[in-house]
Each structure stands twice: as structure tokens, then as C-alpha cells.
């Protein structure tokens, strides 16, 4: 009975649904505030302390706005793809280890199985399919152009992304995210006890992986250098152009949840997951993922938008070979041959 | 090891979560339906947004040829990623994926060097 209660609390409240959604709003606030300060603006100020409730206010405002479905749109696909854009990354975040409810120093994902890393990657690319369908079915020229750009971008960044993610999996000898976290904790502890050249080499190779992963995440999240599919200045808002009201609210919330998922996956695969001294795991999770969000925001403020051909060519000419080399170096270092 | 057993084990647990998140999406959607004001739909409002220009609503044709080239590349490397991922920790099999990785690496270098748009 108490086990059932624990499961319910974990799924619905902490570290499940409520926590992830609240945390997504927090990430949006951090991202907007940091971008504003980097651009010498103030960012949100009026709703709550330093405008911390602004993302929630925006969500509620969009929810009660009038919702228009254009006459030319393919109605079922157009109406229901925002639900997929929102629900899929939210479900994938349940596979990331955050905090155990029964053990203050422990962590485990709410759902977990062998190979969940592959499922997370698969779900991340299925979101793009929903994006493509949503933009394509809107019956708008800008929407269709944005949708094809999103699909083309996915073909470019998905490969380096999935290749670098395989790196830590090979080193850990498992495709389960929580076991990769365990491997990182164990190997960092072993390195701190007896530093050796092997550990430094692994860290250097994985650092290349982090860099490639960050670049791919910028494309995945459609942040500045790769916001080609929504480029306001050329195709108005790309695939989102016809969305309004509750559907736009769902799309925005989905984007925030995707940012949490991306930052959480980066934390779990490269930054040691929710592990750390003194503080409980969820505090470390928040610190590390907020750090990832800040890095992503900083990069997106720093760069100007690439053209679609520059982005695709860059990904295939530089990122893919680098990612393959990284995997080969990881295989050589892990000594499984 | 610090980690406990997961609360929901296996794909079935994840299916429940997937259903739950879709339900949450539908609930938000229904809330929006209830809360949003209904106002009369005019022709102008239902027309596609086109920055003031009159662009008729039609499906855009994309260049399928270039799209397919990228799709084929995508396939090759997706298979590579999957092969590498599923041979993890099996020492006997590791040489073959590595060979496949090497062949794809060389081919992508040669192809991108010779490919003229």
C-alpha cells in the first residue's frame, strides 16, 4: 500500500509531473532573464520577485486567449500535434534520475529499463515529426517552409547527437541512463582516490562529446544560431506561425519541457547526474541543469543565425566525423577490443 | 550503490507514464477550450497569415532530390549509431562495428569532398 502511495506521489508530484512542469517554467525564467541581462535589458520584472512568475502568467494568458484554426488547415493534425509536442518530452523526462523518495541520498528514475537511453533519443526525434506535421498541416507557406527546415535540420543534427550519446554508454557498458550515472560516480571516485592518465584521457575524449552534444542541443531546441526553422525575420515564426491560444501555450510549454529534458540528459550523461557531496541529489540536479540552461542561453545570445545550408553542411562535414572519431576513441580507451 | 530499484519497471511502466502525459496535454487543451472566449469567425481571421501580402493557401513543394540524399546519409549513420549502441560491452563483436564506423567515416569524407551541388 505504501509502495503504491510512494509511486503515486513520485509520478504526480515529486520528482514527477508537478516538479518537471514547475522546473520547466523556472528554466524559461532563468533563460529569459540571463539572455536579457547579456543583452543589457532587464527581462521580466513585474510578476512576482524579479518577474519569476512571468512564464506562468504567459502560459495562463495564452490558455485563455481566443484560439483560431485557419480555414486552410488540416484540422485534426493541426489541432492535436501541439499535444504530442508537449507530452512526448514530458514523458521522456520521467526516465532521467532525479531523487529517491525513500532515501535522501539516493536517486532513481521513476521509470527505468535496459535501453531507456535509446527510447529517450527516439522520443526526441519523434517530437520533430510532430513539429513537421503541425507546420505542414497549417496550410500556410511560412508554416510549410518552417516545417521542412525543421525536418532537414533534424536529419543533420540527429546523427552526431546519437553518436556522442553512445560514447558514455560504451564506457559504462550499459544503455540504461541510471547505470551510466552510477558508472560516472564510481569512476570519478576511483579517479579521486588514485589519479591516473587513463582517467584524464577519458575526460578529454568525453569533453569533445560534450561540445558536440551542446551544438546539437542548440539545434534541437531551435535556439539562436540554429533557429532556422522559426526565424522571425524571414519566415515570421516558421512552423508555429498559425498557432494561437491554447495550442501555442502547449507548444511553448513543450519547448520548456524539452529544454529541461535536454539539460537533464546532458547532466546525466556527462556531468555525473544528480550525484554530489553534502546536498541531496535533487539540489545537485537543479544546480547542474540550471548551469546547462545558462550555458545554452549564453551560446544562443552570442551567435547570429546560420543559413540552413550552412548548418546542414557544417553538421555533416565537421560534427559527424568528429562524433565518429570520438566514438572510436572511446572504444579504444574502454579496451573492449 | 546508492541507487534503489525503480518504482515503475520496464516498458509497461513507461507506457502508463506516456498515457498520463498525453492525458495532461488533453486536460490543458480542454481547459483552453472552456476558458477561451468564442468570437465570430470572419474570413480575414481564418485566412493564412502572410504579412499583409495575398499568398493563396497551397502546399509548398520541396526539393525532394536533395532531401533524399540527406535521408540516405541519415539512414547510414543512424544504423551506425544503433549498431554501436547495441554491441556495447560485447568484446567479440566490437571489431565489426568499429570497421563499419571506419568505412562510413572514410566514405563521408570522400563524398563531401567530391560532392558538387
Amino acid at each position: 500500500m505504501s509502495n503504491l502511495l510512494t509511486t503515486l506521489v513520485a509520478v504526480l508530484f515529486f520528482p514527477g509531473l508537478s516538479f518537471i512542469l514547475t522546473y520547466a517554467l523556472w528554466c524559461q525564467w532563468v533563460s529569459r532573464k540571463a539572455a536579457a541581462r547579456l543583452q543589457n535589458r532587464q527581462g521580466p520584472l513585474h510578476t512576482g520577485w524579479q518577474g519569476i512568475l512571468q512564464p506562468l502568467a504567459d502560459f495562463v494568458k495564452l490558455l485563455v486567449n481566443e484560439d483560431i484554426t485557419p480555414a486552410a488547415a488540416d484540422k485534426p493534425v493541426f489541432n492535436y500535434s501541439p499535444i504530442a509536442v508537449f507530452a512526448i518530452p514530458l514523458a521522456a523526462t520521467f526516465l532521467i534520475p532525479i531523487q529517491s523518495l525513500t532515501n535522501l541520498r539516493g536517486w532513481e528514475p521513476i521509470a527505468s529499463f535496459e535501453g531507456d537511453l535509446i527510447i529517450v533519443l527516439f522520443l526526441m526525434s519523434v517530437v520533430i515529426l510532430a513539429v513537421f506535421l503541425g507546420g505542414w498541416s497549417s496550410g500556410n507557406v511560412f508554416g510549410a517552409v518552417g516545417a521542412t527546415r525543421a525536418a532537414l535540420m533534424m536529419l543533420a543534427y540527429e546523427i552526431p547527437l546519437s553518436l556522442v550519446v553512445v560514447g558514455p554508454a560504451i564506457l559504462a557498458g550499459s544503455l540504461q541512463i541510471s547505470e551510466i550515472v552510477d558508472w560516472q560516480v564510481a569512476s570519478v571516485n576511483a579517479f579521486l582516490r588514485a589519479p591516473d592518465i587513463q582517467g584524464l584521457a577519458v575526460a578529454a575524449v568525453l569533453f569533445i562529446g560534450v561540445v558536440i552534444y551542446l551544438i546539437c542541443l542548440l539545434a534541437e531546441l531551435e535556439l539562436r544560431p540554429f533557429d532556422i526553422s522559426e526565424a522571425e525575420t524571414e519566415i515570421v515564426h516558421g512552423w508555429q506561425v498559425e498557432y494561437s491560444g491554447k495550442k501555442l501555450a502547449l507548444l511553448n510549454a513543450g519547448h520548456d519541457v524539452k529544454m529541461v529534458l535536454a539539460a537533464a540528459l546532458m547532466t546525466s550523461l556527462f556531468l555525473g547526474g544528480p550525484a554530489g557531496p553534502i546536498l541531496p541529489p535533487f539540489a545537485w540536479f537543479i544546480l547542474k541543469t540550471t548551469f546547462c540552461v545558462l550555458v545554452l542561453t549564453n551560446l544562443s545570445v552570442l551567435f547570429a543565425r546560420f543559413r540552413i545550408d550552412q548548418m546542414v553542411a557544417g553538421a555533416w562535414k565537421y560534427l559527424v566525423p568528429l562524433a565518429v572519431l570520438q566514438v572510436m576513441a572511446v572504444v579504444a580507451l574502454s579496451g573492449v577490443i | 550503490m546508492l541507487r534503489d530499484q525503480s518504482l515503475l519497471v520496464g516498458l509497461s511502466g513507461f507506457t502508463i507514464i506516456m498515457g498520463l502525459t498525453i492525458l495532461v496535454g488533453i486536460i490543458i487543451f480542454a481547459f483552453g477550450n472552456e476558458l477561451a472566449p468564442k468570437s465570430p469567425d470572419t474570413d480575414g481571421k481564418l485566412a493564412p497569415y502572410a504579412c499583409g501580402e495575398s499568398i493563396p493557401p497551397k502546399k509548398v513543394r520541396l526539393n525532394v532530390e536533395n532531401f533524399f540524399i540527406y535521408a540516405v546519409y541519415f539512414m547510414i549513420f543512424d544504423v551506425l549509431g544503433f549498431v554501436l549502441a547495441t554491441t556495447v560491452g560485447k568484446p567479440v563483436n566490437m571489431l565489426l562495428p568499429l570497421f563499419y564506423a571506419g568505412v562510413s567515416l572514410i566514405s563521408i569524407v570522400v563524398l563531401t569532398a567530391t560532392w558538387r551541388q
Side-chain angles (χ1 to χ4, degrees):
Chain A
M1 192 60 206
S2 74
N3 197 16
L4 182 70
L5 191 69
T6 317
T7 311
L8 269 180
V9 170
V11 169
L12 293 178
F13 298 104
F14 181 85
L17 204 60
S18 310
F19 174 74
I20 295 168
L21 289 177
T22 318
Y23 192 60
L25 295 176
W26 157 262
C27 282
Q28 191 197 353
W29 178 76
V30 166
S31 167
R32 281 168 71 172
K33 202 75 184 169
R37 294 310 295 146
L38 286 168
Q39 293 167 341
N40 226 350
R41 294 183 287 118
Q42 285 297 327
L45 268 183
H46 294 292
T47 331
W49 176 79
Q50 292 287 312
I52 197 164
L53 294 175
Q54 192 63 46
L56 181 67
D58 286 350
F59 180 77
V60 174
K61 174 245 172 197
L62 277 177
L63 205 60
V64 298
N65 262 11
E66 190 189 346
D67 183 27
I68 303 164
T69 306
D74 186 359
K75 289 191 181 55
V77 181
F78 180 77
N79 281 334
Y80 298 125
S81 65
I83 296 180
V85 172
F86 170 78
I88 292 169
L90 185 58
T93 316
F94 280 81
L95 296 170
I96 309 279
I98 298 175
Q99 166 79 47
S100 161
L101 279 181
T102 46
N103 175 6
L104 189 66
R105 307 292 309 162
W107 59 81
E108 87 268 339
I110 295 170
S112 173
F113 45 88
E114 180 63 40
D116 51 12
L117 182 60
I118 301 275
I119 292 280
V120 170
L121 286 177
F122 167 72
L123 290 176
M124 278 167 108
S125 32
V126 167
V127 175
I128 305 295
L129 186 68
V131 162
F132 178 81
L133 287 175
W136 187 258
S137 64
S138 67
N140 187 305
V141 180
F142 297 119
V145 171
T148 51
R149 284 186 181 189
L152 192 58
M153 251 169 52
M154 190 272 266
L155 292 185
Y157 72 74
E158 193 65 29
I159 298 299
L161 184 72
S162 49
L163 281 176
V164 288
V165 162
V166 167
I170 291 176
L171 285 167
S174 170
L175 283 170
Q176 200 164 353
I177 297 172
S178 45
E179 285 189 11
I180 296 175
V181 172
D182 291 345
W183 166 79
Q184 287 176 76
V185 174
S187 56
V188 165
N189 284 340
F191 183 77
L192 289 179
R193 269 198 307 276
D196 57 348
I197 197 81
Q198 169 93 4
L200 283 177
V202 169
V205 168
L206 283 185
F207 183 75
I208 301 173
V210 175
V211 173
I212 300 171
Y213 185 75
L214 262 179
I215 297 172
C216 295
L217 277 195
L218 286 172
E220 171 102 44
L221 296 169
E222 295 171 298
L223 292 175
R224 191 65 29 72
F226 307 119
D227 64 342
I228 305 156
S229 55
E230 48 184 55
E232 293 104 33
T233 43
E234 38 184 300
I235 50 171
V236 217
H237 217 89
W239 56 275
Q240 297 180 8
V241 64
E242 291 293 355
Y243 281 105
S244 58
K246 57 180 183 280
K247 285 175 276 196
L248 191 58
L250 276 174
L251 288 180
N252 286 348
H255 182 266
D256 297 340
V257 173
K258 206 159 118 182
M259 191 175 230
V260 171
L261 172 64
L265 196 61
M266 179 168 167
T267 305
S268 305
L269 294 178
F270 297 104
L271 302 181
I278 305 165
L279 295 172
F282 79 92
W284 278 108
F285 174 83
I286 289 175
L287 284 176
K288 287 175 179 176
T289 45
T290 306
F291 169 74
C292 295
V293 170
L294 283 174
V295 170
L296 286 169
T297 309
N298 198 349
L299 286 172
S300 79
V301 171
L302 206 57
F303 289 103
R305 187 187 311 132
F306 286 116
R307 286 200 316 264
I308 181 81
D309 61 317
Q310 288 173 327
M311 184 265 164
V312 172
W316 280 107
K317 280 182 187 162
Y318 305 111
L319 288 187
V320 172
L322 209 57
V324 175
L325 280 178
Q326 191 250 7
V327 171
M328 291 169 99
V330 162
V331 172
L333 276 174
S334 67
V336 284
I337 299 181
Chain B
M1 202 52 46
L2 285 167
R3 192 164 51 83
D4 309 333
Q5 186 65 37
S6 294
L7 294 167
L8 294 165
V9 186
L11 261 173
S12 54
F14 185 65
T15 317
I16 297 170
I17 285 170
M18 194 79 223
L20 178 78
T21 55
I22 290 172
L23 189 71
V24 171
I26 292 172
I27 289 171
I28 293 175
F29 200 86
F31 255 103
N33 259 349
E34 288 300 313
L35 294 173
K38 308 273 185 298
S39 54
D41 291 331
T42 57
D43 283 352
K45 199 194 274 179
L46 295 181
Y49 178 74
C51 310
E53 293 171 47
S54 64
I55 301 175
K58 61 171 185 193
K59 300 279 181 246
V60 181
R61 287 179 176 273
L62 66 156
N63 189 342
V64 181
E65 192 191 347
N66 276 351
F67 213 69
F68 268 123
I69 293 171
Y70 281 114
V72 167
Y73 274 125
F74 182 76
M75 271 255 305
I76 294 171
F77 280 88
D78 220 25
V79 170
L80 169 65
F82 193 70
V83 165
L84 283 171
T86 46
T87 45
V88 166
K90 297 191 179 90
V92 195
N93 295 335
M94 217 49 214
L95 208 56
L96 206 60
L98 211 61
F99 179 70
Y100 185 72
V103 169
S104 356
L105 182 64
I106 293 165
S107 54
I108 195 113
V109 167
V110 171
L111 282 173
T112 45
T114 54
W115 183 13
R116 295 278 175 273
Q117 285 266 22

